[in-house]
Amino acid sequence: MREAGDAIARLLRLREAAGRVIGDHAALLRRAPVGALVAAVVIPLVGCDTGPSFWFHKRASACPRPQAAQGVSGQFNQQQQEIRALRQGGFRGDFFAQLELARRYEGQRASDKNLEDPVEAAVWYGMALANSGGYAPIAAYERRGKEPRAVSRFDDCRAFERRSAYGALDRLLSRMSTEEREKVRNRVIYVLSSQGADGFRTLARIHDGYFGPYGEPSDNLQAIEAYGKPSRPGAPAALDLFRRNDVDAYLYNYLAVQTGDVSAYVMLKDFERSSPQRASYGSFVETKAKRWIPTYEFYPPESPDSGVPHSDESDLSGEAREGALSRINELPFVHVGEALAYLRVIPSPVLDEKLLSLNDAQSVQAMLGRPTTGRLSPIEKVRAIQYAAVNGSSKAQLVLAVMYSEGVGVPRDYARAYHWYEEAERQGSAEAKYAMSTFFSLGVQGVADQDRAKAVVYQIDSALSGFKPSAHRLQQLLAQVSRPPRQMADRGRPYSERDY
């Protein structure tokens, strides 16, 4: 009986223990939704340093996102203002703005589906990968086991962002045609070249085989992962966007030096000393650099179905650019008016800016993706002529060539001037033929072909086209060639004005 009583007592104690366990589990289940809600609120607030990688050291979390734009909430054009603010940051080199732009154009959220543009998304993923702000170490490192780990998790979350960007860029490029990939590459080159020496140095690293695929250090973990392994695929389409080429790497280093940047000069010398073959490219690259022009005249203001244009937010700071822009008023406004008429913004050219209506000015600004103030700024006048030139107006091409020749509105650039003279000449512009003959005959810096015989051909073509200045020059030339020989008695005296 006593043994039976002990067994019953043990059974009762076991039942009580089981009841307590079940009760604790029920309470835990009741508290789970509250805990999940607290985690959802708290974890985003604590940021990178205490994200998942804080507990699981092999994992990382995305970095917190800055707000796209301030003070535009609830406005009818909120999306457009946010995109414009992000583009400003993206052109200035803001790593997180570039990532956010890429995600917006990728249409990841339902509210961004109207912005969806794979080419533009790939451009900004590429810019983010090339941005040193995404891979340059910020925190000190300490060794934990076999691998050095960052004391702060901010480096980890940026690594996570770059890993995701490599995957997204590879996915986008793998679905594109050759022409679309070329467009992505050209736009990245344009944006980087607009950043001056820093951008040219980045382009040099991208083309240099001693660096990672997007200019990061060759031992960067995300770069290594992009190459892939037999057991883990990499990002082949992203790796193929820019081909490694010592000549192009030298070219962009050389262009960085031409901006007057001292550190670029040091990098160029290091590049030359890295191998004898690289040093031998000097004279060839110098000639190529004189002909080099950016892949775009300005960022093309295309837009998806959303109607939010791709605005050009390149930084125009710098003494040369600011000085050139301040001279735009030297250009008669009729040329801007003719460009606007060609673009069908206005029905016919206007001679004076005062004759341009408020609505017409706002239409130009909306087309360029700039704030619709109703009054054209100096850069918007330049953009109007550039926009007409790239869309095929021979008059605008000729005007733009003169602007580059004289440094009016844009910095003096003889290579670009020659390019636009040539574009206008292809459309039969007699004035462009005359101007190109001047380039050939004077040996202007930046123009490689200095064949004087070709200059005479252009002068004759232009004269036959009825362009009076060239015809007058040709008459003078013919007069000198057909001048009768001087008499023996005259050989002792110098030439007089009548001889010319």
Side-chain angles (χ1 to χ4, degrees), residues 186-434:
N186 287 343
R187 292 186 183 187
V188 171
I189 291 173
Y190 170 79
V191 177
L192 287 172
S193 65
S194 73
Q195 296 176 356
D198 289 339
F200 285 128
R201 286 199 299 267
T202 300
L203 283 167
R205 293 196 303 270
I206 289 175
H207 290 87
D208 192 338
Y210 289 145
F211 291 87
Y214 284 84
E216 65 268 73
S218 58
D219 60 352
N220 178 265
L221 184 57
Q222 295 79 58
I224 294 172
E225 290 174 344
Y227 288 109
K229 297 179 179 179
S231 59
R232 182 176 58 191
L239 298 180
D240 195 49
L241 185 61
F242 290 96
R243 298 293 181 89
R244 302 313 179 89
N245 185 323
D246 279 351
V247 172
D248 285 336
Y250 197 138
L251 169 67
Y252 289 116
N253 272 317
Y254 185 89
L255 291 171
V257 173
Q258 299 310 300
T259 66
D261 187 76
V262 177
S263 58
Y265 179 80
V266 175
M267 287 189 66
L268 180 64
K269 293 304 176 184
D270 288 342
F271 182 89
E272 292 174 339
R273 287 192 292 266
S274 61
S275 74
Q277 186 177 7
R278 285 182 164 185
S280 67
Y281 294 145
S283 58
F284 172 72
V285 167
E286 183 176 355
T287 301
K288 188 176 180 180
K290 288 181 178 181
R291 298 181 181 181
W292 186 87
I293 60 173
T295 50
Y296 286 102
E297 179 62 30
F298 68 109
Y299 206 91
E302 300 171 2
S303 63
D305 294 337
S306 65
V308 180
H310 299 160
S311 56
D312 188 332
E313 306 294 342
S314 55
D315 184 12
L316 295 177
S317 62
E319 293 183 5
R321 291 183 175 183
E322 291 176 358
L325 203 56
S326 66
R327 296 184 59 194
I328 190 61
N329 290 331
E330 297 178 21
L331 185 73
F333 189 80
V334 64
H335 297 302
V336 179
E338 288 177 342
L340 296 180
Y342 180 84
L343 295 170
R344 298 185 178 180
V345 175
I346 55 178
S348 59
V350 293
L351 300 177
D352 196 314
E353 185 177 1
K354 296 177 182 177
L355 300 176
L356 195 67
S357 71
L358 178 67
N359 289 338
D360 292 337
Q362 289 177 334
S363 298
V364 177
Q365 293 167 332
M367 181 176 62
L368 297 171
R370 302 184 66 85
T372 53
T373 62
R375 183 176 179 82
L376 295 184
S377 64
I379 186 60
E380 288 163 357
K381 295 175 185 177
V382 173
R383 290 283 187 259
I385 294 173
Q386 290 174 315
Y387 201 1
V390 298
N391 279 280
S393 169
S394 61
K395 287 186 177 180
Q397 290 166 351
L398 183 61
V399 170
L400 188 56
V402 173
M403 290 166 64
Y404 277 119
S405 299
E406 302 298 326
V408 174
V410 290
R412 184 177 277 109
D413 187 330
Y414 293 122
R416 286 206 205 185
Y418 181 80
H419 167 75
W420 288 112
Y421 279 130
E422 193 171 41
E423 289 296 311
E425 186 271 333
R426 286 174 184 168
Q427 298 196 61
S429 170
E431 296 92 334
K433 289 182 180 180
Y434 172 74

Side-chain angles (χ1 to χ4, degrees), residues 52-257:
S53 60
F54 182 76
W55 304 293
F56 308 105
H57 297 302
K58 296 297 182 182
R59 298 179 62 188
S61 60
C63 293
R65 283 281 173 273
Q67 280 190 315
Q70 301 286 342
V72 299
S73 179
Q75 295 186 12
F76 74 95
N77 60 343
Q78 175 183 349
Q79 186 183 57
Q80 182 167 349
Q81 292 198 37
E82 287 179 349
I83 292 297
R84 177 171 168 77
L86 287 170
R87 290 185 73 88
Q88 289 174 341
F91 270 88
R92 287 196 303 267
D94 185 325
F95 174 67
F96 296 107
Q98 291 166 348
L99 285 175
E100 186 64 24
L101 266 179
R103 291 192 173 99
R104 292 289 190 96
Y105 285 120
E106 197 176 4
Q108 290 186 354
R109 301 184 308 182
S111 58
D112 294 328
K113 282 296 181 183
N114 63 321
L115 291 171
E116 191 170 2
D117 186 336
V119 169
E120 197 69 4
V123 168
W124 293 107
Y125 274 129
M127 287 296 302
L129 288 172
N131 192 335
S132 61
Y135 59 79
I138 293 177
Y141 278 76
E142 65 178 11
R143 184 164 293 280
R144 298 179 183 174
K146 297 181 180 179
E147 298 180 359
R149 301 292 300 175
V151 175
S152 169
R153 294 294 177 270
F154 192 72
D155 284 329
D156 283 349
C157 77
R158 290 187 306 152
F160 174 85
E161 299 283 10
R162 295 189 78 251
R163 189 177 296 112
S164 301
Y166 260 116
L169 179 59
D170 186 73
R171 183 172 61 252
L172 289 166
L173 292 174
S174 63
R175 301 170 184 170
M176 289 184 187
S177 65
T178 303
E179 292 76 13
E180 288 173 325
R181 291 188 187 192
E182 183 72 16
K183 190 179 290 186
V184 172
R185 181 164 48 250
N186 287 343
R187 292 186 183 187
V188 171
I189 291 173
Y190 170 79
V191 177
L192 287 172
S193 65
S194 73
Q195 296 176 356
D198 289 339
F200 285 128
R201 286 199 299 267
T202 300
L203 283 167
R205 293 196 303 270
I206 289 175
H207 290 87
D208 192 338
Y210 289 145
F211 291 87
Y214 284 84
E216 65 268 73
S218 58
D219 60 352
N220 178 265
L221 184 57
Q222 295 79 58
I224 294 172
E225 290 174 344
Y227 288 109
K229 297 179 179 179
S231 59
R232 182 176 58 191
L239 298 180
D240 195 49
L241 185 61
F242 290 96
R243 298 293 181 89
R244 302 313 179 89
N245 185 323
D246 279 351
V247 172
D248 285 336
Y250 197 138
L251 169 67
Y252 289 116
N253 272 317
Y254 185 89
L255 291 171
V257 173

